[in-house]
């Protein structure tokens, strides 16, 4: 009677070999056991038992690869707030209450100031943004940074907003010469135009001789359409 074929290899799940930690036994094509391993750098690799035991394979390859970008974070705790430093020297902030979760990942701050991490998986890698880790997903809502600083991920600075409300809190476009969102000057007539975007649709609020009138109209529009999500300050420095 044929029984179950018992692997002649010892189960090495969770064992560490250099930078590799064994996740589980991978599917075998031949008789040799292959193990799915996770490298400290985040990459996954399948390795033969022999290569692990003999020390032939100690990483996904990043140990030998001089070009491999070493990513790490440093943290500084100040009261209830943690200041994180990425491997490029950029900072991000969050509450001490979230520290245990946050430090499980390696964060990089992008050009816009958003901290994100890549979650590697053998099939498709996923990007996780820090504000998404801190504020769990809520249908039809996105997470908004109240003070418009995306690297400030303290809960006091995060709230749920709809896409339209988030647009209300977006930064002033560079091409906007008035310094106020939704107020611009026509090049042909020099008149001032007030616009507002509500639910992705641009509404025309009016055309004025002076910038001040256009701004006043825009503010009225913000109060009407965005309510508490209206930006408070007129000008950003
Ligand atoms: Zn690696």
């Amino acid at each position: 009677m044929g029984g179950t074929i018992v692997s002649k290899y010892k189960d090495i799940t969770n064992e560490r070999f250099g930078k590799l930690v064994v996740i589980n036994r991978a599917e075998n094509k031949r008789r040799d056991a292959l193990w799915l391993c996770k490298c400290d750098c985040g990459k996954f690799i399948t390795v033969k038992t022999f290569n692990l035991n003999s020390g032939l394979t100690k990483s996904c390859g990043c140990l030998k690869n001089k070009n491999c970008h070493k990513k790490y974070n440093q943290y500084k705790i100040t009261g209830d707030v943690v200041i994180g430093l990425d491997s490029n020297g950029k900072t991000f902030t969050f509450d001490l209450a979230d520290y245990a979760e946050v430090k499980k990942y390696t964060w990089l701050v992008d050009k816009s100031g958003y901290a994100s991490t890549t979650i590697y998986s053998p099939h498709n890698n996923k990007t996780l943004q820090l504000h998404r880790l801190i504020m769990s997903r809520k249908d039809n809502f996105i997470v908004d940074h109240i003070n418009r600083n995306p690297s400030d991920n303290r809960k006091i600075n995060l709230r749920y907003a709809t896409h339209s409300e988030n647009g209300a809190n977006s930064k002033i476009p560079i091409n906007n010469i008035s310094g106020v969102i939704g107020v611009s000057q026509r090049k042909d007539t020099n008149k001032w135009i007030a616009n507002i975007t509500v639910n992705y649709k641009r509404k025309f609020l009016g055309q004025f001789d002076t910038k001040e009138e256009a701004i006043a109209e825009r503010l009225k529009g913000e109060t009407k359409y965005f309510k508490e999500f209206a930006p408070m300050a007129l000008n950003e420095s």
Side-chain angles (χ1 to χ4, degrees):
M1 299 285 285
T4 322
I5 297 162
V6 180
S7 169
K8 60 177 172 168
Y9 298 103
K10 175 183 145 217
D11 184 11
I12 51 170
T13 302
N14 294 325
E15 279 185 36
R16 176 176 280 277
F17 299 88
K19 290 180 81 179
L20 299 173
V21 173
V22 179
I23 304 294
N24 58 37
R25 177 107 180 243
E27 199 186 330
N28 291 344
K29 291 261 155 56
R30 287 175 288 155
R31 295 205 172 183
D32 205 357
L34 277 174
W35 302 91
L36 175 70
C37 301
K38 191 185 183 189
C39 183
D40 285 342
C41 75
K43 282 198 188 119
F44 286 84
I45 180 177
T46 52
V47 190
K48 288 182 194 173
T49 315
F50 174 79
N51 290 9
L52 289 171
N53 283 332
S54 64
L56 218 60
T57 309
K58 289 181 196 157
S59 77
C60 70
C62 66
L63 264 181
K64 287 174 188 162
N65 184 0
K66 295 273 193 293
N67 298 324
C68 183
H69 203 71
K70 199 181 167 217
K71 294 175 189 168
Y72 60 90
N73 293 128
Q74 285 173 289
Y75 295 102
K76 191 184 154 199
I77 300 169
T78 313
D80 293 336
V81 175
V82 182
I83 300 164
L85 195 71
D86 79 0
S87 43
N88 298 321
K90 289 187 181 167
T91 55
F92 53 97
T93 314
F94 55 91
D95 294 320
L96 185 59
D98 296 314
Y99 188 38
E101 268 304 300
V102 172
K103 69 179 177 186
K104 286 182 186 170
Y105 306 90
T106 305
W107 302 94
L108 263 183
V109 180
D110 70 14
K111 267 192 271 174
S112 314
Y114 290 92
S116 68
T117 189
T118 307
I119 298 174
Y120 295 95
S121 90
H123 301 295
N124 59 324
N125 296 339
K126 251 175 53 183
T127 299
L128 173 68
Q129 288 189 308
L130 181 53
H131 61 260
R132 265 291 170 212
L133 175 76
I134 290 169
M135 301 276 278
S136 53
R137 187 163 290 281
K138 207 167 143 186
D139 279 347
N140 301 319
F141 284 92
I142 53 170
V143 175
D144 188 29
H145 291 82
I146 296 166
N147 70 8
R148 300 185 191 178
N149 176 358
S151 66
D152 184 349
N153 292 282
R154 292 171 301 147
K155 281 204 185 76
I156 198 168
N157 190 40
L158 299 174
R159 67 181 163 194
Y160 291 107
T162 65
H163 284 278
S164 175
E165 286 159 349
N166 185 254
N169 203 31
S170 64
K171 286 186 178 165
I172 295 168
I174 296 153
N175 60 1
N176 182 327
I177 59 162
S178 77
V180 177
I181 302 167
V183 175
S184 54
Q185 191 175 27
R186 283 179 62 148
K187 279 192 177 136
D188 50 355
T189 61
N190 288 334
K191 298 247 189 207
W192 291 87
I193 308 285
N195 280 306
I196 194 159
T197 304
V198 183
N199 290 322
Y200 305 110
K201 285 199 190 96
R202 198 144 118 142
K203 278 179 194 281
F204 178 72
L205 296 174
Q207 179 171 282
F208 307 91
D209 290 330
T210 65
K211 179 174 150 181
E212 287 66 34
E213 287 170 287
I215 290 172
E217 197 60 33
R218 163 71 197 197
L219 290 179
K220 266 201 271 172
E222 288 180 2
T223 311
K224 184 174 167 190
Y225 295 109
F226 300 148
K227 298 179 187 83
E228 84 260 40
F229 286 98
M232 306 274 282
L234 272 184
N235 290 286
E236 278 201 328
S237 55

